[in-house]
């Protein structure tokens, strides 16, 4: 995947990046999704990376049970139309997903971040797609939906 860096990203500008993409071991199953191509592209652009993991910021452990909305996407979770439930046991993790999403929005505001590069298909960070209903749904994850509502442009950090 070729990383698309916005033309108006200025050297020294702070950007949010999914912590798993910078090599932090925060994935739901443990481990990371390090994306060297993204890190190199952001370094060449002169961006300063601010790693974020909405699920960890919301108080969930690592590793943690897989969770997703039973239908819809992150916009539906933000609007209160659907919960985020544990895939195995149905436990309600909506509060943690929402807390993490709003904490990421606060970090973006504090850091002056206009851009975020997030991990595709995550129920939190998915940009164009997110895990939902036992599969992959079109639409953003919870944190992406919150960032977009706050005016942050969210881009694919990996395919």
């Amino acid at each position: 995947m070729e990383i698309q860096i916005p033309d108006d990203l200025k050297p020294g500008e702070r950007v949010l990046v999914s912590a798993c993409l910078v090599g932090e071991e925060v994935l739901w199953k443990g481990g990371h999704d390090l994306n060297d191509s993204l890190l190199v592209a952001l370094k060449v652009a002169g961006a300063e990376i601010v790693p974020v993991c909405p699920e960890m910021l919301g108080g969930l452990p690592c590793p943690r049970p897989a969770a997703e909305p039973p239908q819809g996407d992150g916009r539906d979770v933000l609007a209160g139309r659907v919960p985020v439930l544990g895939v195995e046991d149905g436990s309600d993790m909506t509060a943690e997903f929402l807390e993490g999403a709003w904490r990421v929005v606060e970090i973006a505001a504090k850091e002056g971040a206009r851009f975020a590069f997030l991990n595709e298909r995550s129920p939190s960070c998915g940009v164009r797609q997110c895990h939902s209903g036992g599969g992959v749904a079109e639409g953003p994850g919870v944190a992406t939906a919150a960032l977009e509502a706050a005016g942050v442009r969210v881009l694919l950090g990996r395919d």
Side-chain angles (χ1 to χ4, degrees), residues 5 9 14 22-23 33-34 37 46 48 50 56 64 70 73 77 102 105 119 123 131 154:
I5 302 296
L9 179 65
R14 298 179 70 77
V22 302
D33 273 339
L34 177 64
S37 299
E48 292 188 34
V50 179
M56 298 285 291
R64 56 191 164 273
D73 63 25
V77 175
W102 294 123
V105 168
N119 200 352
H131 281 281
V154 183

Side-chain angles (χ1 to χ4, degrees), residues 114-138:
R114 298 183 300 138
F115 304 104
F117 294 83
L118 302 183
N119 200 352
E120 186 66 317
R121 291 183 289 283
S122 158
S124 289
C125 293
V127 179
R128 296 179 188 147
Q129 298 177 324
C130 65
H131 281 281
S132 175
V136 176
E138 295 300 316

Side-chain angles (χ1 to χ4, degrees), residues 13-32:
E13 189 168 356
R14 298 179 70 77
V15 298
L16 303 185
V17 178
S18 291
C20 58
L21 297 176
V22 302
E24 292 185 23
E25 296 192 359
V26 296
L27 290 177
W28 69 272
K29 61 187 174 192
H32 57 76

